[in-house]
Amino acid sequence: MFVRNFDLILDPADAMQIAMLVREFDTEDIDPTGEEYSGDEAFADEEDLLEQEEKDPADPALDALGAAVNLLNVDAQRDLLALMWVGRGDYRPEDWATARHQATDVADMHLAKYLAETPLASTYLIEGLSQMGYSVDDYEAS
């Protein structure tokens, strides 16, 4: 068990809330038969895909995720990104300073979109919290 000798700038409750919002995207690319698909198969070429994307209304789930991420200050957003990297195994908890430093090097985060497009991002965030010494049970949404 990793012994935490620091605190995140990011409130762990906010991280858990965002993980729950991201979870909606983790199941989005699975059809009712359980098969994964990208949703692009129906389009003959890239031009058709771009035309369809322009017609699609705003995604309320992405809007909610974006709003939650945008409420965080930039340091908390960087913690969120580093936390996901720790949960994914890119960094060990002992390497938090390195992960956090790498997150500060990300110039233009577009974090909500990045989280939505990263498969298993909610799982990585929850795992990252756990690995960093935060009891996930204390922050799970009721």
Side-chain angles (χ1 to χ4, degrees):
M1 169 97 184
F2 176 73
V3 177
R4 179 172 30 100
N5 59 1
F6 61 88
D7 288 319
L8 296 172
I9 294 169
L10 171 67
D11 182 338
D14 291 340
M16 182 57 77
Q17 176 194 12
I18 289 170
M20 293 302 104
L21 290 169
V22 172
R23 185 164 280 170
E24 294 181 35
F25 296 97
D26 288 347
T27 58
E28 197 170 83
D29 290 338
I30 299 176
D31 75 12
T33 65
E35 296 293 319
E36 288 189 34
Y37 69 100
S38 68
D40 298 346
E41 291 88 356
F43 300 99
D45 59 31
E46 187 174 328
E47 186 176 308
D48 289 343
L49 177 60
L50 291 173
E51 185 177 307
Q52 181 62 32
E53 286 176 352
E54 290 173 3
K55 292 178 186 177
D56 288 343
D59 184 344
L62 185 57
D63 290 346
L65 177 59
V69 169
N70 289 333
L71 285 174
L72 303 175
N73 67 40
V74 70
D75 289 324
Q77 289 179 15
R78 289 178 173 144
D79 271 6
L80 188 66
L81 182 57
L83 192 65
M84 189 191 80
W85 290 340
V86 168
R88 187 168 62 187
D90 298 339
Y91 296 92
R92 296 176 314 196
E94 298 82 14
D95 300 326
W96 175 254
T98 304
R100 184 63 172 74
H101 181 74
Q102 182 66 37
T104 63
D105 287 344
V106 176
D108 191 9
M109 288 194 279
H110 299 287
L111 187 54
K113 186 175 180 187
Y114 177 72
L115 292 170
E117 292 176 352
T118 300
L120 302 175
S122 66
T123 302
Y124 297 145
L125 287 170
I126 292 167
E127 179 63 23
L129 279 171
S130 178
Q131 286 187 31
M132 296 304 295
Y134 292 90
S135 174
V136 176
D137 294 335
D138 293 344
Y139 302 103
E140 285 195 276
S142 3

